[in-house]
Amino acid sequence: MHKKITCIPFDDFIARFVPDARAPRSSSDSASGKPECESPTGHDVERPDPPSSNPFKDMPRPTVEKDMYKNIIDALSRASLTTDEFHFVSTPYKGDSSERSGQAVDCGMYPKEGASRLGPANDEGHRRVNWSWIDIAIECKMNSTDDDPFDEARDTHEPVAVGRREVLGQVLDYARLIFQYQQRTFQFMVLFLGDMARILRIDHAGIFATAKFKYRDEAAGLKLAHFFWNHALLSSAERGHDTTATRLDPNGPDAERMREQVKTVELDDYVRKMFADTLDEEWPWWKLEVPNKKHGGGSRAFLVGKPHFIAPGVAGRATRGYIALDADNPDGPPVFLKDAWRVVSDDIEQEGSVLKTLREHQVRFTPTPVCHGDLAGQETQTQAVWPKYHPGKECPLKTHQHYRLVVKEVGKPLEQFKRSFDLVGAIWCCVYAHFQAYEEANIIHRDISTGNMLLFRNEEGQEGATA
């Protein structure tokens, strides 16, 4: 996140990044005369009244960090900031059961369905974090300076002290897990730092954070309460969720069709074995829309489970690879779906367009594009706002556009070769493909690595490679 962090005044942050839920969302009003809003389940619900006082003002002062978990959740819950569609939950000790790292953010704001899946509370009222459901992560620290992950005294707003850098690492880990488990365009996070607080907005270009504010002060605390109240009334897209992704009901027909495809798998069918490995019941499964530029418009839907591949980190392309089924033909062969935030540049062509060109020039051993395209309206915002707070400086941030690509072939890692003959043959295939790409289409790959060389068996059962 070097040179990708900017702290700005609270009111600027809200004005630039948080839509006003009081703006009309529906032409119809409820019987009480209060406007309605979209709930996480997609149904209209009546809005609660906005907060009129600071719920944190008289909150007990903690003597240790664990006091903060209960105090903050109690204050938020008592304030009735949301409808029953959202709940505030403390989750400081138990990591997500599906996540090996054991990371557990202290608290969170969850939709009702997600909160119901967190399991029973322990004796202290804490539950287990669930990265696939959390809407806003909330982290608590006792010291407003030593535990602050940002340093506004420095031009980059990045911390130097080891302890503060460790907290920044925590923040980035939480953000990474939310991006990996969910289908997100961005996310908000709230940090309570002693008597101070910050709100963060994180996307794949960088982080904007509010300047620290004293949330116990009447005006500042009321603004924070209003942020939570407002957030609960926004649409899923405005809260940072990707609306081209639909979470599957584990007991629904699409999920059952996915399981059906792996009930019997032949020993040499590595593709269905790979697909079976992604059907992890502890991860969310999705129906993902992919633009269908190949046929002039519209989109196609694909069913996916746990990602087969996840790129590390928060900023950047955030590539995830899925073994997928065509939602309209789930009995057909699995395909490979790549979900990434590509860099927007006049010099960088969409990967699917490059593959189309290669196929048109009959370049061998290259993947066959099925469909691909940018997801409309899903572009990072951090880089667009950054120059306004760094006048006269060249922006180091890149613009990232959400993009999906589906290819026919599903390859397996190069290191899974069975014989040295297969390895040498696969490398030859890739070298020949790169030779043809340059000679026939004037294209050079420029990112040759073992990760981009995959073993593949064609429909005749012949082993080869895709580059």
Side-chain angles (χ1 to χ4, degrees):
M1 272 296 173
H2 183 50
K3 294 185 178 180
K4 292 180 171 67
I5 297 170
T6 303
C7 299
I8 63 176
F10 185 100
D11 291 343
D12 282 15
F13 181 95
I14 297 298
R16 293 193 180 279
F17 296 121
V18 183
D20 187 351
R22 289 170 295 190
R25 290 295 190 277
S26 172
S27 59
S28 61
D29 292 336
S30 66
S32 64
K34 296 179 181 178
E36 296 180 343
C37 61
E38 177 193 326
S39 76
T41 58
H43 301 105
D44 286 342
V45 295
E46 185 179 311
R47 298 184 182 187
D49 292 326
S52 58
S53 61
N54 178 4
F56 310 104
K57 184 176 182 180
D58 298 319
M59 191 173 69
R61 292 191 178 275
T63 55
V64 292
E65 185 181 300
K66 70 177 184 178
D67 294 340
M68 297 180 72
Y69 314 147
K70 182 179 186 304
N71 294 348
I72 288 170
I73 293 302
D74 285 350
L76 288 169
S77 299
R78 281 198 303 266
S80 299
L81 299 176
T82 72
T83 65
D84 188 49
E85 296 296 326
F86 285 97
H87 296 271
F88 296 100
V89 184
S90 58
T91 57
Y93 301 130
K94 287 188 176 183
D96 191 313
S97 58
S98 67
E99 174 55 36
R100 293 181 181 178
S101 70
Q103 292 273 23
V105 69
D106 294 329
C107 306
M109 179 177 175
Y110 285 82
K112 180 179 180 179
E113 183 177 359
S116 69
R117 296 172 182 265
L118 299 183
N122 65 11
D123 292 341
E124 295 178 301
H126 307 315
R127 299 165 76 181
R128 184 185 294 276
V129 69
N130 188 305
W131 296 113
S132 73
W133 282 105
I134 192 168
D135 213 77
I136 296 181
I138 302 172
E139 181 68 2
C140 304
K141 298 293 181 185
M142 283 291 287
N143 194 293
S144 62
T145 299
D146 293 345
D147 293 327
D148 188 354
F150 308 120
D151 188 347
E152 294 175 61
R154 304 185 72 240
D155 288 343
T156 62
H157 294 172
E158 298 171 26
V160 175
V162 173
R164 299 176 73 171
R165 292 180 67 85
E166 289 177 350
V167 177
L168 176 57
Q170 274 187 282
V171 167
L172 294 177
D173 274 343
Y174 300 152
R176 171 182 60 83
L177 290 166
I178 291 171
F179 279 132
Q180 288 180 356
Y181 276 78
Q182 300 185 30
Q183 304 293 334
R184 289 289 201 122
T185 55
F186 66 88
Q187 59 181 283
F188 290 111
M189 188 180 297
V190 176
L191 306 181
F192 286 89
L193 308 166
D195 285 341
M196 309 291 282
R198 293 185 188 273
I199 305 174
L200 284 56
R201 183 191 182 276
I202 307 168
D203 64 22
H204 291 298
I207 298 176
F208 265 87
T210 64
K212 279 190 294 192
F213 56 92
K214 297 180 179 179
Y215 62 88
R216 290 179 182 274
D217 288 358
E218 181 61 30
L222 181 56
K223 287 181 179 180
L224 178 57
H226 190 278
F227 166 78
F228 283 114
W229 171 82
N230 185 84
H231 183 86
L233 302 178
L234 297 177
S235 69
S236 57
E238 291 168 329
R239 300 197 317 273
H241 294 275
D242 175 7
T243 55
T244 69
T246 303
R247 185 167 182 150
L248 299 183
D249 179 348
N251 300 313
D254 284 329
E256 287 302 319
R257 281 192 282 267
M258 294 168 75
R259 294 186 189 96
E260 189 70 28
Q261 297 308 308
V262 296
K263 282 186 176 179
T264 56
V265 179
E266 297 180 9
L267 289 176
D268 62 346
D269 190 348
Y270 74 87
V271 175
R272 289 201 182 271
K273 285 182 181 178
M274 292 168 66
F275 179 67
D277 289 341
T278 70
L279 299 188
D280 187 332
E281 300 285 350
E282 292 192 329
W283 276 70
W285 301 358
W286 304 90
K287 179 185 287 185
L288 301 180
E289 296 177 19
V290 181
N292 195 17
K293 290 179 63 176
K294 185 175 180 180
H295 296 289
S299 64
R300 294 177 61 178
F302 294 84
L303 308 176
V304 302
K306 176 182 177 179
H308 171 68
F309 167 80
I310 302 176
V314 173
R317 292 175 177 82
T319 302
R320 289 179 290 185
Y322 296 92
I323 316 300
L325 296 178
D326 187 334
D328 292 329
N329 182 27
D331 294 329
V335 293
F336 188 80
L337 188 154
K338 183 176 182 179
D339 180 286
W341 288 76
R342 69 179 187 89
V343 174
V344 177
S345 170
D346 292 338
D347 299 325
I348 302 176
E349 201 172 355
Q350 292 180 349
E351 185 176 350
S353 297
V354 174
L355 292 177
K356 180 175 181 290
T357 300
L358 293 174
R359 301 296 294 189
E360 288 172 347
H361 285 82
Q362 298 182 344
V363 175
R364 297 180 65 192
F365 311 121
T366 55
T368 308
V370 175
C371 57
H372 75 104
D374 291 336
L375 302 179
Q378 297 190 16
E379 188 175 277
T380 53
Q381 293 184 29
T382 299
Q383 80 290 337
V385 180
W386 192 95
K388 296 177 175 63
Y389 294 92
H390 303 81
K393 295 183 179 181
E394 183 178 355
C395 181
L397 311 182
K398 294 181 174 66
T399 300
H400 292 270
Q401 165 67 51
H402 200 186
Y403 172 79
R404 290 195 182 116
L405 163 69
V406 175
V407 297
K408 177 182 176 182
E409 296 80 8
V410 178
K412 60 181 179 179
L414 189 64
E415 59 266 24
Q416 291 185 13
F417 68 91
K418 294 180 179 179
R419 303 174 298 167
S420 57
F421 179 83
D422 297 333
L423 175 62
V424 173
I427 293 175
W428 180 87
C429 290
C430 292
V431 171
Y432 188 78
H434 284 81
F435 163 74
Q436 268 200 312
Y438 180 72
E439 289 291 317
E440 303 295 334
N442 199 32
I443 291 174
I444 297 178
H445 193 292
R446 297 191 301 178
D447 185 21
I448 300 173
S449 65
T450 56
N452 287 329
M453 302 165 68
L454 300 173
L455 297 171
F456 171 70
R457 179 182 298 157
N458 64 21
E459 293 174 355
E460 286 73 40
Q462 298 174 325
E463 293 279 357
T466 61

